[in-house]
Amino acid sequence: MKETLDFLSTEFTVRDYECDIQGVVNNANYQHYLEHARHEFLISRGISFAQLHDEGIDLIVTRVEIDYKYPLRSRDKFVVRSSVQREGNTRLVFVQDIFRIPDDKLVVNARVTGVATRNGRPVRPGDIVVKMGLD
Amino acid sequence: MKETLDFLSTEFTVRDYECDIQGVVNNANYQHYLEHARHEFLISRGISFAQLHDEGIDLIVTRVEIDYKYPLRSRDKFVVRSSVQREGNTRLVFVQDIFRIPDDKLVVNARVTGVATRNGRPVRPGDIVVKMGLD
Amino acid sequence: MKETLDFLSTEFTVRDYECDIQGVVNNANYQHYLEHARHEFLISRGISFAQLHDEGIDLIVTRVEIDYKYPLRSRDKFVVRSSVQREGNTRLVFVQDIFRIPDDKLVVNARVTGVATRNGRPVRPGDIVVKMGLD
Amino acid sequence: MKETLDFLSTEFTVRDYECDIQGVVNNANYQHYLEHARHEFLISRGISFAQLHDEGIDLIVTRVEIDYKYPLRSRDKFVVRSSVQREGNTRLVFVQDIFRIPDDKLVVNARVTGVATRNGRPVRPGDIVVKMGLD
């Protein structure tokens, strides 16, 4: 397994509509935050979904693991710290942690596994891996 | 202005994740309910977005007016009652009301204006209007 | 009717999960943007929902009018420009416009009416109005 | 580990606003479906969040694992099949699978771990477990 040395930090502020009856961010919304941070990560590496799609390649999520450590509340600021690893020939694993700002309280640990597919079948991520510095 | 005589009633139950910190359904979620009810209405008239799109026609919303009369809460059952009118040559106006079940408490009055477009320009809704019984 | 001279501009970037099958931001999500911008506006005037709630006052939305002029797409940057007016004794009307960045393309015009309530009944907004510079 | 013999099936239909640019249900929305199905499960066992909260007990999710096997699309019907197990003294594990209707295509496998907390500290789920038939 080879891991990139670097990571991307993406900052957010909790919006009130993301909180539920309990006054904390609804569990599903963390997946929205993580997804947005992954897309920012890919873009920072010059990887465009649209361009990949035009080349016949789609990136899809096959597995999500999220540990909820501490809840975010209305107007909390936080950062998603994202890095990526290869796993086997076809899988990419995003390791993503969420920390509250400014006290660095750990909010969420997540592992999100994705594969590159062509016509619905997994393929070696190829060029994507090079752009991510994982080859 | 000609109005269809009939309407469609679509039933829902409030899901907890649709409620916000105040313990009531977040205002934006009523638009989700209304949208789903309009799509059910169109399908009940044999109108398919996908087929229209293949024929080069897109239905888009140009204006929404919503009066919030009474809030829905966790697990409330409710019905969206939808009908449609023509307005001018190109506009369709959906009149949609939401009532709580079983006490028929009025929750929302809404008017949603849409137009049929081809290549981004409004066109007479034509066949759509016939299917809706509005010609 | 008296209007504040100033307004608040709140910047956003479209996140992919806010877009729907048509590749544009789903209509309901504009209400999320507008709500977040109104809350930012209130906070910029020193008005806290939590503090008001502790004083027995709740601010609720009674009517929304939105004109959709041009759709936002994935990763578009945009600004919500919010100002507020009084209307009668109890109503506050937020006038909110959305413009795409950087070309200032008009995306949405909105008018959102709210009232201050105590025990579910409208009251004069009082101190809120003073803080907004509307007295 | 003891498992209840029975499970609850909750039926849904995909709403268009739950789909994203790729034309499939956005990954985060499956968590919404799973949450709603768990709440239905608890209610079917006579367990009320509100009543628990009044007794000082909160049920919170500490970990989610979701395997995405096949995507749902606009208007697909599906069922969430939920059962529950005990794990150790304080944890409850919901095993939840999503199948498309009517062809029983497997869409999602999920394991959602929760704990009962009092004042933010895990407690034995006690009465909850009895009601679930897990004692």
Side-chain angles (χ1 to χ4, degrees):
Chain A
M1 185 186 297
K2 179 164 177 190
E3 187 172 356
T4 50
L5 295 178
D6 50 6
F7 55 85
L8 185 75
S9 292
T10 312
E11 284 192 31
F12 298 75
T13 301
V14 173
R15 301 175 187 169
D16 287 343
Y17 66 79
E18 295 166 342
C19 298
D20 62 18
I21 300 178
Q22 282 76 36
V24 297
V25 170
N26 182 272
N27 288 324
N29 284 328
Y30 293 97
Q31 273 210 51
H32 283 320
Y33 301 150
L34 296 171
E35 177 192 296
H36 185 60
R38 286 195 306 278
H39 292 197
E40 292 287 327
F41 183 94
L42 293 170
I43 287 162
S44 75
R45 273 24 178 203
I47 297 165
S48 151
F49 277 104
Q51 192 185 321
L52 282 173
H53 184 77
D54 291 345
E55 297 168 7
I57 302 285
D58 285 304
L59 289 177
I60 63 169
V61 169
T62 57
R63 179 171 169 80
V64 166
E65 295 164 70
I66 304 175
D67 287 294
Y68 296 98
K69 298 297 191 180
Y70 193 82
L72 289 171
R73 293 176 179 279
S74 171
R75 309 197 58 74
D76 278 351
K77 292 189 187 306
F78 62 98
V79 62
V80 181
R81 188 180 184 277
S82 308
S83 65
V84 70
Q85 305 168 353
R86 282 185 76 172
E87 197 178 84
N89 279 329
T90 59
R91 287 191 295 280
L92 294 170
V93 178
F94 285 88
V95 177
Q96 299 188 283
D97 300 309
I98 300 181
F99 299 94
R100 194 171 59 183
I101 295 172
D103 66 358
D104 283 335
K105 181 87 177 172
L106 178 62
V107 172
V108 152
N109 285 136
R111 270 175 67 89
V112 179
T113 307
V115 293
T117 60
R118 187 187 293 275
N119 302 324
R121 300 175 68 108
V123 293
R124 282 169 170 271
D127 187 43
I128 300 168
V129 160
V130 177
K131 284 188 174 168
M132 286 178 173
L134 289 171
D135 63 325
Chain B
M1 186 187 295
K2 181 167 175 188
E3 186 172 356
T4 51
L5 296 178
D6 49 8
F7 55 84
L8 185 75
S9 293
T10 313
E11 284 191 30
F12 297 76
T13 300
V14 173
R15 301 176 186 169
D16 287 343
Y17 67 79
E18 295 165 343
C19 298
D20 62 18
I21 300 178
Q22 283 75 36
V24 297
V25 170
N26 183 271
N27 289 324
N29 284 327
Y30 293 96
Q31 258 190 269
H32 283 320
Y33 300 150
L34 297 171
E35 177 193 295
H36 185 60
R38 285 195 308 278
H39 291 197
E40 292 287 327
F41 182 95
L42 293 170
I43 287 161
S44 75
R45 272 26 176 203
I47 297 165
S48 151
F49 278 104
Q51 191 184 322
L52 282 173
H53 184 77
D54 290 345
E55 297 167 5
I57 302 285
D58 285 303
L59 289 177
I60 63 168
V61 169
T62 57
R63 179 172 170 80
V64 167
E65 294 164 70
I66 304 175
D67 287 294
Y68 297 97
K69 298 297 190 180
Y70 193 81
L72 289 171
R73 293 175 179 279
S74 170
R75 310 197 57 74
D76 277 350
K77 292 187 188 307
F78 62 98
V79 61
V80 181
R81 188 180 182 278
S82 308
S83 64
V84 71
Q85 305 168 352
R86 283 185 76 171
E87 198 178 83
N89 279 329
T90 59
R91 287 190 295 281
L92 294 170
V93 178
F94 285 88
V95 177
Q96 300 187 283
D97 300 309
I98 301 181
F99 298 95
R100 192 172 60 183
I101 297 172
D103 66 358
D104 283 335
K105 180 87 177 173
L106 177 62
V107 172
V108 152
N109 285 137
R111 270 175 66 89
V112 180
T113 307
V115 293
T117 60
R118 187 187 294 274
N119 303 323
R121 300 175 69 107
V123 293
R124 283 170 169 271
D127 186 44
I128 300 167
V129 159
V130 176
K131 285 188 174 168
M132 285 178 173
L134 289 170
D135 63 325
Chain C
M1 185 187 295
K2 183 168 173 189
E3 187 173 355
T4 50
L5 295 179
D6 48 8
F7 55 84
L8 186 74
S9 292
T10 312
E11 284 191 31
F12 298 75
T13 300
V14 173
R15 301 175 187 169
D16 287 342
Y17 66 80
E18 295 165 342
C19 298
D20 62 17
I21 300 177
Q22 281 76 35
V24 297
V25 170
N26 182 272
N27 289 323
N29 284 327
Y30 293 96
Q31 273 210 52
H32 283 320
Y33 301 150
L34 296 171
E35 177 193 295
H36 185 60
R38 286 194 307 277
H39 291 197
E40 292 287 327
F41 182 95
L42 293 170
I43 286 161
S44 75
R45 270 37 174 192
I47 298 166
S48 152
F49 277 105
Q51 192 185 320
L52 281 173
H53 184 77
D54 290 346
E55 297 167 6
I57 303 284
D58 285 304
L59 289 177
I60 62 169
V61 169
T62 57
R63 180 172 169 80
V64 166
E65 294 164 70
I66 304 175
D67 287 294
Y68 297 97
K69 298 297 191 181
Y70 194 82
L72 289 171
R73 293 176 179 278
S74 171
R75 309 196 59 74
D76 277 352
K77 294 188 188 306
F78 62 99
V79 62
V80 182
R81 188 180 182 278
S82 307
S83 65
V84 70
Q85 306 169 354
R86 282 184 77 172
E87 197 177 82
N89 279 328
T90 60
R91 288 190 294 280
L92 295 170
V93 178
F94 286 88
V95 177
Q96 300 188 283
D97 300 309
I98 301 180
F99 298 95
R100 193 171 59 182
I101 296 172
D103 65 358
D104 284 333
K105 181 87 178 173
L106 177 62
V107 173
V108 152
N109 285 136
R111 270 175 67 89
V112 180
T113 307
V115 294
T117 60
R118 186 187 294 275
N119 302 323
R121 298 175 69 106
V123 293
R124 282 170 170 271
D127 186 44
I128 300 167
V129 161
V130 177
K131 285 188 174 167
M132 286 179 175
L134 289 171
D135 63 325
Chain D
M1 184 185 297
K2 181 165 173 191
E3 188 172 353
T4 51
L5 296 180
D6 49 10
F7 55 85
L8 186 74
S9 292
T10 311
E11 284 191 31
F12 298 74
T13 301
V14 173
R15 300 176 187 168
D16 287 342
Y17 66 80
E18 296 165 342
C19 298
D20 61 18
I21 300 176
Q22 281 76 36
V24 296
V25 170
N26 182 271
N27 290 323
N29 284 328
Y30 293 96
Q31 259 191 269
H32 283 320
Y33 301 150
L34 297 171
E35 177 193 294
H36 184 60
R38 287 195 306 278
H39 291 198
E40 292 286 327
F41 182 95
L42 292 170
I43 286 162
S44 75
R45 270 35 175 193
I47 297 165
S48 152
F49 277 104
Q51 192 185 318
L52 282 173
H53 184 76
D54 291 346
E55 298 167 5
I57 303 285
D58 285 304
L59 289 177
I60 62 169
V61 169
T62 57
R63 179 171 168 81
V64 166
E65 295 163 69
I66 303 175
D67 287 294
Y68 297 98
K69 298 296 191 181
Y70 193 82
L72 289 171
R73 293 175 179 278
S74 171
R75 308 195 60 74
D76 278 351
K77 294 188 187 308
F78 62 99
V79 61
V80 182
R81 189 181 182 277
S82 307
S83 64
V84 70
Q85 306 168 353
R86 283 185 76 172
E87 196 177 83
N89 280 328
T90 60
R91 286 190 295 282
L92 294 170
V93 178
F94 285 87
V95 177
Q96 300 187 284
D97 299 310
I98 300 180
F99 298 95
R100 192 171 61 182
I101 296 172
D103 65 358
D104 283 334
K105 181 87 178 173
L106 177 62
V107 172
V108 152
N109 285 135
R111 270 174 67 89
V112 179
T113 307
V115 293
T117 60
R118 187 186 293 276
N119 303 323
R121 300 175 68 107
V123 293
R124 281 168 171 271
D127 187 42
I128 300 167
V129 160
V130 177
K131 285 188 174 165
M132 286 179 173
L134 289 170
D135 63 325

